[in-house]
Amino acid sequence: MTAVNGELDTDPDLVNNDPYGDGWLFEVEPDDAGALDGLLSAAQYEEYVAE
């Protein structure tokens, strides 16, 4: 892990209220950045679930 969102210690509702903004949980850096190539963006995922 490269970072953890300490704001959640005092305001855990951020996860539900703003998951793509201030409610982030943690950051990671993969050993192989190419492993992320197949992941969907938030918009792509929403479109996928709507189908």
Side-chain angles (χ1 to χ4, degrees):
M1 262 187 270
T2 59
V4 176
N5 187 353
E7 294 292 320
L8 299 178
D9 291 339
T10 56
D11 192 3
D13 286 334
L14 284 173
V15 173
N16 293 326
N17 296 330
D18 193 12
Y20 297 113
D22 292 335
W24 62 276
L25 298 172
F26 54 86
E27 294 178 354
V28 294
E29 187 172 326
D31 291 335
D32 175 14
L36 303 177
D37 291 342
L39 297 179
L40 301 175
S41 69
Q44 291 170 319
Y45 181 73
E46 285 182 25
E47 183 180 324
Y48 173 77
V49 212
E51 294 176 354

